[in-house]
């Protein structure tokens, strides 16, 4: 692996061990760490400075490293030393909230944050924290509320880690023609030769050369010191339909919008289990209770996910609570003002040119987000025309996986009953036939505050009783593997090959309901969220969250509540 000592997660395990006083220090020849947490963090920073954790390494550990019952929080290590940025990013005082990542792709990332209304946003970035010398700034032609900064960082390399810092500048400080630049400013003419040599030596110390631990930065032109903790990193996507050699990890979380200790515990259970290592986040609606106001979004979504959203792009679909403060037809209101989902088609898929439905690609996976709350229920012709064209193109392109996500589920017997609610009926008559026609593999939803995982279904358009009257709607059932894990293999691909449906709406609230829909293979009332791990023709899924004992009393988080493996026939793979 990158760096001078070990891959396969050794560096990341070292971080874990340093923070708990175990053996990482011994591996570095420094002896065992016996001090408190402050000393451990200091040693970790020293480890980073000496290159034990290679900043430029694109490799990330993919194993689940958190042992059962271990409840300590994950600590991010991508910004534990000072960085250096272009001088335009020297003023970071105007940042009020953020940053957060949107509309990621193989060659771009949108960086958003809230700042001073009279200032202009700027992002300084590069492939090393020691040389964040490239610059992108707010596009003045892009309409947005005052104080909301939306910077598209373009021209990036696929599957590459970039480090970035956000700042604000006076509106007149940068010419308008620099609205979309990737430039490196020369070092300050006022910097003496000795000052520049000292700065270069510090960079060499913090980030050793290519031969030791990463790319040389001796030629860096970045001159402004960025304190530790004030910059972040992100990794661009693989190119559309390209082969990916490492598992692709997705966090799917629904109905998380309380922002309280329950939603934070669901977050921590996921982050601890994954070691902070995943690729994209899907927000399945109801991100901000009670009515999706601006203040509710910031207090109940952006605040508690600030560390995660600064590093992992989040893609959202509107829930009924998010829509309460919006005009869904005019696409106005807090939800539309705060999220920049990729309706422009520049992240893959067919451009929808709409803010509430869109698609994007992550290598061999095609994702489709549908507004199931409003337009999907009102037979909006533009939505359905776009969806059919997008799914038809995705099927023709032969992606390894096609994944759809929305807020309301077509099937549920949780806190919402799909037999009794008109919206669920409309989804079965409108969306389900189209998903099946174009071979969608998995549909994710929230809304019901529970977890429900279906068998492989086809043609189930009626009420739940249809499963008993017409058993053929279950195309294939789950079965236990030799390891005792629920496993299902989809034998064919393409039209009418079967679709699986998952409700995961326990991101903050533990709901009721009988959870007895006969199309479901497994259900749970517990709070939690999902890890989806794609590896070629295999999708391994975990429900992670709170554990309850035999008396149904709360007994702690960081618990695997469900694990299942969904496979596709190898002949379906394009990669």
């Amino acid at each position: 692996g990158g760096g001078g000592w070990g891959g396969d997660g050794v560096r990341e395990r070292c971080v874990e061990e340093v923070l708990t006083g175990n053996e990482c220090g011994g591996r570095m020849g420094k002896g065992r760490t016996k001090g408190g947490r402050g000393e451990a963090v200091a040693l970790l920073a020293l480890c980073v400075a000496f290159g034990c954790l290679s900043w430029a390494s694109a490799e990330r550990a993919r194993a689940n490293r958190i042992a059962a019952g271990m409840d300590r929080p994950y600590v991010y290590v991508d910004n534990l030393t000072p960085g250096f940025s272009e001088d335009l990013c020297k003023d970071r005082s105007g940042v009020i909230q953020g940053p957060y990542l949107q509309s990621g792709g193989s060659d771009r990332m949108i960086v958003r944050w809230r700042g001073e209304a009279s200032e202009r946003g700027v992002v300084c970035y590069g492939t090393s924290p020691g040389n964040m010398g490239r610059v992108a700034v707010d596009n003045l032609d892009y309409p947005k509320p005052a104080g909301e900064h939306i910077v598209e960082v373009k021209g990036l390399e696929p599957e590459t880690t970039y480090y970035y810092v956000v700042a604000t500048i006076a509106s007149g400080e940068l010419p308008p023609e620099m609205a979309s630049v990737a430039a490196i400013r020369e070092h300050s003419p006022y910097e003496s030769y000795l000052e520049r040599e000292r700065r270069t030596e510090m960079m060499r110390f913090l980030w050793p050369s290519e031969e030791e631990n990463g790319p040389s930065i001796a030629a860096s032109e970045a001159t402004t010191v960025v304190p530790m903790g004030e910059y972040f990193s992100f990794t661009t996507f693989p190119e559309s339909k390209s082969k990916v050699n490492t598992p692709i990890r997705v966090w799917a979380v629904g109905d998380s919008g309380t922002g309280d200790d329950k939603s934070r515990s669901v977050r921590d259970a996921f982050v601890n289990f994954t070691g902070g290592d995943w690729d994209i986040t899907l927000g399945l609606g109801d991100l901000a209770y009670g009515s999706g106001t601006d203040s509710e979004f910031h207090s109940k979504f952006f605040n508690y996910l600030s560390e995660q959203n600064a590093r992992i792009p989040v893609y959202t679909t509107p829930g009924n609570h998010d829509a309460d403060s919006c005009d869904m037809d005019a696409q106005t209101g807090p939800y539309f003002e705060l999220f920049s989902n990729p309706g422009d088609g520049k992240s893959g898929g067919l451009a929808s040119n709409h803010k509430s439905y869109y698609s994007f690609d992550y290598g061999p996976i095609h994702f489709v987000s549908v507004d199931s709350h409003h337009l999907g229920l009102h037979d909006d012709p533009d939505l359905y025309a776009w969806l059919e064209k997008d799914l038809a193109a995705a099927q023709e392109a032969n992606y390894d996986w096609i994944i759809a996500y929305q807020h309301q589920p077509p099937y549920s017997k949780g806190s919402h009953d799909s037999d009794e609610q008109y919206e669920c009926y409309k989804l079965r008559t409108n969306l389900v036939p189209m998903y099946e026609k174009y071979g969608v593999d998995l549909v994710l939803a929230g809304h019901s505050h529970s977890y429900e995982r279906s068998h492989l279904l086809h043609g189930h358009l009626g009420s739940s009783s249809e499963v008993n009257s017409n058993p053929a709607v279950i195309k294939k059932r789950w079965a236990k593997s030799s390891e005792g894990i629920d496993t299902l293999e989809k034998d064919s691909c393409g039209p009418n090959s079967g679709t699986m449906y998952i409700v995961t709406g326990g991101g903050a609230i533990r709901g009721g309901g009988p959870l007895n829909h006969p199309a479901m293979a497994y259900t749970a009332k517990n709070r939690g969220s999902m890890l989806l791990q794609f590896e070629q023709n295999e999708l391994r899924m975990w429900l992670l969250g709170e554990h309850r004992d035999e008396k149904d009393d709360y007994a702690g988080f960081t618990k695997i509540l469900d694990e299942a493996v969904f496979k596709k026939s190898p002949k379906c793979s394009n990669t």
Side-chain angles (χ1 to χ4, degrees):
W5 59 291
D8 298 325
V10 172
R11 289 187 302 276
E12 289 80 358
R13 286 197 298 274
C14 167
V15 173
E16 254 179 39
E17 293 173 5
V18 166
L19 293 177
T20 52
N22 290 325
E23 296 179 355
C24 179
R27 289 179 187 156
M28 291 184 288
K30 302 292 183 181
R32 295 175 62 87
T33 304
K34 295 295 185 182
R37 184 178 179 87
E39 292 180 43
V41 172
L43 179 56
L44 176 59
L46 186 63
C47 174
V48 170
F50 277 110
C52 299
L53 302 174
S54 173
W55 287 105
S57 173
E59 174 191 343
R60 296 182 299 164
R62 294 291 182 172
N64 296 322
R65 298 181 302 275
I66 306 300
M70 189 179 297
D71 238 357
R72 63 177 181 267
Y74 179 81
V75 176
Y76 288 96
V77 297
D78 59 346
N79 56 8
L80 286 183
T81 64
F84 289 84
S85 77
E86 213 276 345
D87 287 350
L88 285 171
C89 288
K90 62 188 177 184
D91 182 8
R92 295 174 298 281
S93 61
V95 178
I96 298 173
Q97 189 162 39
Y100 57 101
L101 302 177
Q102 301 271 270
S103 292
S106 61
D107 61 356
R108 75 158 181 178
M109 189 69 71
I110 291 179
V111 183
R112 294 200 53 166
W113 70 97
R114 176 163 289 184
E116 301 293 343
S118 60
E119 300 295 305
R120 191 169 179 187
V122 57
V123 174
C124 296
Y125 64 100
T127 55
S128 164
N131 191 12
M132 295 179 283
R134 301 167 70 185
V135 178
V137 301
D138 266 334
N139 189 334
L140 296 180
D141 297 327
Y142 190 90
K144 55 185 179 293
E148 295 297 327
H149 298 293
I150 307 173
V151 177
E152 183 178 15
V153 183
K154 301 187 293 186
L156 305 176
E157 293 296 320
E159 299 182 81
T160 301
T161 298
Y162 290 88
Y163 298 83
Y164 75 98
V165 60
V166 302
T168 56
I169 56 175
S171 297
E173 191 172 334
L174 195 68
E177 60 268 19
M178 289 190 68
S180 180
V181 299
I184 297 178
R185 173 178 289 184
E186 294 295 329
H187 67 277
S188 169
Y190 304 105
E191 182 183 32
S192 70
Y193 173 81
L194 181 58
E195 289 171 332
R196 192 178 187 201
E197 283 297 298
R198 287 174 176 169
R199 174 173 57 83
T200 301
E201 286 302 313
M202 182 187 297
M203 292 178 178
R204 284 173 175 162
F205 171 76
L206 291 174
W207 302 283
S209 65
E210 181 82 34
E211 293 76 22
E212 296 176 2
N213 278 316
S216 172
I217 59 160
S220 171
E221 302 297 342
T223 60
T224 294
V225 176
V226 183
M228 58 186 289
E230 292 191 16
Y231 64 91
F232 305 93
S233 65
F234 63 79
T235 301
T236 50
F237 295 3
E239 293 181 309
S240 294
K241 299 183 289 294
S242 64
K243 181 178 180 179
V244 178
N245 294 320
T246 55
I248 298 166
R249 282 179 152 187
V250 177
W251 183 19
V253 54
D255 302 74
S256 60
T258 62
D260 60 5
D261 60 332
K262 300 295 191 301
S263 56
R264 288 191 294 271
S265 294
V266 170
R267 173 203 65 192
D268 292 344
F270 179 87
V271 174
N272 287 353
F273 184 80
T274 59
D277 174 34
W278 73 98
D279 300 294
I280 61 175
T281 301
L282 303 180
L284 303 179
D286 281 1
L287 311 174
Y289 293 113
S291 57
T293 64
D294 180 87
S295 62
E296 286 170 341
F297 269 110
H298 282 277
S299 63
K300 299 179 180 181
F301 180 77
F302 292 110
N303 277 354
Y304 95 97
L305 291 173
S306 60
E307 292 284 351
Q308 292 72 37
N309 291 342
R311 295 168 169 89
I312 308 293
V314 56
Y315 299 82
T316 63
T317 191
N320 50 295
H321 286 273
D322 306 322
D324 284 347
S325 296
C326 294
D327 185 325
M328 298 298 289
D329 293 305
Q331 303 174 62
T332 59
Y335 175 84
F336 296 110
E337 292 167 355
L338 291 168
F339 295 102
S340 299
N341 287 307
D344 57 10
K346 294 180 181 179
S347 295
L350 181 69
S352 66
N353 298 311
H354 204 282
K355 295 180 180 179
S356 64
Y357 56 87
Y358 58 91
S359 62
F360 69 96
D361 295 340
Y362 192 99
I365 309 173
H366 184 67
F367 291 91
V368 181
S369 175
V370 175
D371 170 13
S372 64
H373 169 66
H374 182 73
L375 299 178
L377 302 182
H378 295 174
D379 301 324
D380 181 77
D382 292 335
L383 182 154
Y384 286 101
W386 166 81
L387 181 61
E388 182 142 26
K389 290 179 182 178
D390 181 84
L391 290 178
Q395 185 184 76
E396 179 69 22
N398 195 27
Y399 288 87
D400 285 0
W401 297 89
I402 301 178
I403 309 298
Y405 59 101
Q406 58 201 42
H407 182 59
Q408 284 87 350
Y411 316 106
S412 177
K413 284 286 186 177
S415 57
H416 294 274
D417 189 332
S418 59
D419 286 348
E420 298 180 358
Q421 297 193 348
Y422 173 75
E423 58 200 32
C424 300
Y425 160 77
K426 287 291 288 184
L427 296 178
R428 291 196 299 275
T429 57
N430 286 9
L431 286 175
V432 167
M434 193 173 294
Y435 290 153
E436 294 182 347
K437 179 180 178 180
Y438 293 105
V440 172
D441 299 298
L442 170 64
V443 177
L444 297 163
H447 199 48
S448 265
H449 300 152
S450 56
Y451 175 78
E452 300 167 271
R453 167 170 54 84
S454 81
H455 297 288
L456 192 67
L457 305 181
H458 174 64
H460 182 20
L461 308 181
S463 67
S464 60
S465 63
E466 184 182 33
V467 176
N468 297 320
S469 62
N470 181 17
V473 298
I474 295 184
K475 195 174 183 71
K476 195 167 185 180
R477 293 179 177 270
W478 294 86
K480 294 291 184 183
S481 68
S482 58
E483 293 82 19
I485 296 173
D486 270 7
T487 303
L488 188 154
E489 181 165 347
K490 187 175 179 179
D491 300 321
S492 60
C493 47
N496 306 312
S497 54
T499 303
M500 187 199 7
Y501 298 82
I502 291 181
V503 180
T504 177
I509 300 172
R510 183 175 184 265
L515 295 180
N516 61 353
H517 198 295
M520 299 298 169
Y522 180 80
T523 62
K525 290 183 180 179
N526 307 57
R527 295 180 183 88
S529 63
M530 288 194 73
L531 168 62
L532 309 174
Q533 181 169 286
F534 299 84
E535 191 165 12
Q536 298 178 6
N537 69 321
E538 179 178 295
L539 166 57
R540 188 172 291 266
M541 303 173 290
W542 292 268
L543 174 65
L544 307 168
E546 67 177 5
H547 169 58
R548 289 178 175 268
D549 62 21
E550 63 275 5
K551 296 181 180 179
D552 204 31
D553 293 326
Y554 171 69
F557 278 83
T558 312
K559 175 74 174 179
I560 298 175
L561 303 172
D562 184 36
E563 182 175 1
V565 179
F566 183 29
K567 297 181 179 180
K568 292 181 69 175
S569 170
K571 65 184 180 182
C572 295
S573 176
N574 185 44
T575 56

